[in-house]
Structures are given as C-alpha cells and as structure tokens.
C-alpha cells in the first residue's frame, strides 16, 4: 500500500466525501484523460469499493526515453487515488522536474513534461512489460499500489497507436497534442493496430456484468473512438442489456479541455452536443446535456437528461455521477415497462 510523505495510508482518498447510500450497481466507464478521470472519481465515490471498472484509452501511449508512457491510464489512476496534479489534471501533485531538466541539459528530449514521481511509474511499468507481464496486469499492480479500489483496464494489451492526419501530414498522437499543441488542422484520425487488438478478458467480463455503461466526457474522436475501434467492442456494446449513457464533452460550443471543438470545426462538424450524440447513437441509450445547451434537447434522437456537467470540485463530480447513474437506471425501468406493456397488450401499435 502507498503512503503519503507523512506515512498516512491513502487507501480511500475520498472516504470523507462518501455518502452512506452507496448505489448497488456495477458500472463500467469508458474514459480518456482528464474529463474521463474526473467523472470516474465521482463514480468511484458513489459506488461500493470495487464496483467501478474504467476502460481507458491507450491510443495516446508512446515510447519516450526508452520507456512505455500510458498518459490516460496514469491520469485515471492518479485521479482515482487523489494524487493528481489539480492544475493540469494529469501528472502527480507536488512533483519535481529534476530529471526532465537534466535531460534537457544533456541534449535529451524535454518537450514532454515527465515529473520525477511520475517517472517512477513509467520505470516500473516498463520493467514489468519487459519481463513479459501484460499491460492489464501491470495496470492492476500499479492501481493496487496506489490504493485505488476501482478496477482500471487498458482498452487492449496489444499496442494501438492514434495517428492524427493533419494538413502538415500524419502525426503520432503526442507529437500532435503536446509537441505541436494541437495547432495543425485535423483531417481525420486513425488507430493503428486497433482491428487486430482485443479487449482484455477482464475488461470484457466487467462489461458483461455491468448494470450501467458510462461514456465519460472525454474527447469523442481522440479518447472514446479508439476504445470503440478495438476488435469487437462496438458490436459487444450493442449487444449489452445494460443502459449506455454518455455525458457531453461539448458545452456552449466549446470543449472544457483539449482540442475537441477545434477538431470538430476542422473536420466540418457543427460544434454541438447533437453532433456527439449522433456520432455514438448506434451504441447509446441516453445522452446527458449541460444546462447551457438545454435548447438542443428537442433535437436529440436519444432520451436526454439536462443537468450541470461542469466538474470543478469533488462535490460536482459526485453530483454528476449520481445524476448519470439515476438517469441510466430510469432508462432501464422505462425499457422494462415498455416490454411489460407490450407483453400484456396495453401498448397500441
Ligand atoms: N500534456 C501536455 O499538454 N504537456 C505535457 O508535457 C504532458 C506531459 C504528460 C506527462 C505524463 C502524463 O501522464 C500526461 C502528460 N500530459 C501532458 C497529458 C497527456 O499528453 C494528455 O492529457 C493525454 O494524452 C490526452 O488525454
């Protein structure tokens, strides 16, 4: 078990925020980086320990300094452990950058800001991967070491790499995102290796057992699409009986974080949550809009909940998590009621 500098265990960082009425549900969240990690932290706080499984995008992973870096897996893990940098949302709180600075002095690459504490995770992960341990097992060992009660799964054990096709040519994800600060105009995105990749068995089992599946407010094209592109993931989601609901990553024509809105403009899509809902509506049962976009509700083809979706504080995350799960359960009750009425002949065709 991890301890803080003052030797306090950090097994449940949000214990004081937990309410007594935990929801008896098994939930799978699909998440990318910061937005996904925030809602995942809210879900973890309203569910019994171990009831949340997060399937995380690994299309952003890359080799750097000879190490395997998995930014979204780490962002989710640090947020669920309560040790994330609160300003950036990624990386560790109170980290130092001695190694990064020294690498720069030695003429090494210093464009990707790896902190010293963060570096230990990349070293440990790479060591285990080189010993032949799967990324699923490595991720589980790390989350246990950080005292995270939820399960965290990579979307695949085999490497899948997001390639951004831009007006400046094809860029590996982190070169587009960090190296070029998302400046090149995006034409399209592809996920190299996705068709041959498979969802890890444990993630598959979590999905089959899920009562609710939540699409977190992560970038649809860079974070959720890579997860859906893995093997049979899209057709598996369609077959599940559990309600699948998405939380909007677009509010008032903007993305709260990252290049989603800019990319949508560049790819010729209207920057509204209606576009996002339509993008996923073959695999969704419901969509959650922010209050600011209430006027879009009549244009949605899916059942829609309008609520506050901005997550600044832990209370915001918990409130949105509860609203999301309540909405999903109401969709399930609605579909059960419809089936019963059809069976008893109440419903006119
Ligand atoms: N994002 C940046 O914008 N600049 C960085 O230097 C950077 C470093 C970094 C280090 C570790 C890590 O886990 C994440 C890091 N990120 C950085 C975030 C990351 O590139 C993106 O948030 C995700 O890949 C997109 O979800």
């Amino acid at each position: 078990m991890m301890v803080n500098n003052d030797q306090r265990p950090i097994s449940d960082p949000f214990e004081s925020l937990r309410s007594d009425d935990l929801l008896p549900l098994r939930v799978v969240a699909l998440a990318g980086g910061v937005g996904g990690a925030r809602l995942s932290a809210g879900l973890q706080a309203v569910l019994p320990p171990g009831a949340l499984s997060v399937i995380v995008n690994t299309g952003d992973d890359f080799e750097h300094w000879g190490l395997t870096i998995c930014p979204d897996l780490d962002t989710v893990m640090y947020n669920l452990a309560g040790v994330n940098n609160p300003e950036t949302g990624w990386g560790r709180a109170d980290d130092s950058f001695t190694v990064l600075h020294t690498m720069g002095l030695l003429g090494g690459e210093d464009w990707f800001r790896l902190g010293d504490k963060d570096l230990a995770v990349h070293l440990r992960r790479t060591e285990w991967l080189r010993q032949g341990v799967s990324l699923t097992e490595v991720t589980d060992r790390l989350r246990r070491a950080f005292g995270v009660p939820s399960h965290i799964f990579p979307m695949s054990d085999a490497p899948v790499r997001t390639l951004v096709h831009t007006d400046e040519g094809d860029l590996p994800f982190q070169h587009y995102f960090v190296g070029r600060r998302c400046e090149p105009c995006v034409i399209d995105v592809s996920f190299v290796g996705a068709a041959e990749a498979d969802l890890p068995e444990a993630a598959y089992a979590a999905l089959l057992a899920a009562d609710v599946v939540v699409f977190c407010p992560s970038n649809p094209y860079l974070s959720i699409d890579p997860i859906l592109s893995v093997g049979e993931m899209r057709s598996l989601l369609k077959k599940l009986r559990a309600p699948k609901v998405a939380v909007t990553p677009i509010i008032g024509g903007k993305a709260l974080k990252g290049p989603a809105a800019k990319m949508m403009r560049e790819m010729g899509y209207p920057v509204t949550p209606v576009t996002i809902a339509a993008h996923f509506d073959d695999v969704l049962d419901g969509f959650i809009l922010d209050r600011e976009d209430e006027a879009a509700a009549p244009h949605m083809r899916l059942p829609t909940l309008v609520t506050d979706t901005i997550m600044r504080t832990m209370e915001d995350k918990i409130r949105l998590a509860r609203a999301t799960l309540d909405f999903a359960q109401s969709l399930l009750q609605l579909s059960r009621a419809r089936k019963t009425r059809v069976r008893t002949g109440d419903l006119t065709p």
Side-chain angles (χ1 to χ4, degrees), residues 33-336:
V34 180
R38 286 190 180 141
L39 183 56
S40 298
L43 290 166
Q44 178 174 270
V46 302
L47 293 167
L52 173 67
S53 297
V54 191
I55 300 178
V56 181
N57 169 40
T58 56
D60 300 8
D61 296 7
F62 72 131
E63 298 288 319
H64 187 67
W65 295 352
L67 304 173
T68 303
I69 317 288
C70 305
D72 287 356
L73 281 172
D74 293 343
T75 300
V76 168
M77 179 174 73
Y78 293 155
N79 277 264
L80 293 183
V83 299
N84 60 292
N85 180 330
E87 271 109 56
T88 55
W90 48 263
R92 293 282 305 267
D94 306 317
D95 213 343
S96 52
F97 292 87
T98 307
V99 175
L100 183 83
H101 179 67
T102 313
M103 278 298 265
L105 293 178
L106 293 172
E109 291 192 63
D110 60 359
W111 57 274
F112 194 76
R113 291 185 57 76
L114 291 180
D116 298 329
K117 287 185 192 173
D118 190 27
L119 185 58
V121 164
H122 310 306
L123 286 164
R124 202 77 177 106
R125 172 189 295 121
T126 306
E127 187 185 0
W128 278 326
L129 288 174
R130 286 195 184 137
Q131 289 166 3
V133 181
S134 70
L135 183 59
T136 300
E137 172 62 22
V138 168
T139 305
D140 199 55
R141 288 182 188 180
L142 289 169
R143 70 101 187 161
R144 281 171 189 272
F146 276 88
V148 172
S150 305
H151 303 279
I152 305 175
F153 301 117
M155 66 187 195
S156 147
D157 281 319
V160 175
R161 295 294 177 255
T162 297
L163 195 60
V164 188
H165 307 286
T166 78
D167 59 348
E168 296 181 14
D170 295 349
L171 295 173
F173 178 82
Q174 296 296 349
H175 290 262
Y176 161 77
F177 194 87
V178 178
R180 294 287 292 112
R181 295 195 177 84
C182 310
E183 278 162 20
C185 179
V186 176
I187 299 161
D188 201 0
V189 182
S190 57
F191 311 109
V192 181
E196 305 81 54
D198 280 319
L199 198 62
E201 246 172 62
Y204 186 83
L207 271 171
L208 289 185
D211 298 306
V212 175
V213 178
V214 177
F215 287 40
C216 289
S218 299
N219 187 311
Y221 311 102
L222 295 176
S223 299
I224 303 295
D225 273 356
I227 304 176
L228 300 189
S229 72
V230 168
E232 303 299 311
M233 180 68 176
R234 219 171 176 116
S235 55
L236 171 64
L237 282 172
K238 282 184 201 168
K239 282 183 212 146
L240 293 181
R241 271 189 308 151
K244 289 148 287 182
V245 297
V247 178
T248 184
I250 295 289
I251 302 174
K254 294 190 188 110
L256 279 183
K257 210 167 169 19
K262 176 177 177 286
M263 288 177 65
M264 288 171 83
R265 275 191 296 276
E266 291 165 353
M267 293 191 292
Y269 303 137
V271 187
T272 82
V274 180
T275 308
I276 312 292
H279 187 68
F280 292 129
D281 72 359
D282 60 323
V283 283
L284 283 180
D285 301 299
F287 196 84
I288 301 183
L289 279 180
D290 190 82
R291 253 182 238 292
E292 196 178 327
D293 292 311
E294 194 159 11
H299 305 286
M300 303 290 288
R301 286 200 300 236
L302 290 164
T304 301
L305 172 75
V306 180
T307 188
D308 296 318
T309 65
I310 296 178
M311 294 174 282
R312 291 200 182 89
T313 64
M314 192 61 204
E315 283 75 11
D316 294 338
K317 296 171 200 173
I318 288 176
R319 203 200 44 74
L320 181 58
R322 274 195 179 278
T324 302
L325 297 180
D326 288 348
F327 175 53
Q329 281 185 296
S330 70
L331 293 176
L332 190 63
Q333 275 152 16
L334 196 72
S335 89
R336 277 195 192 130

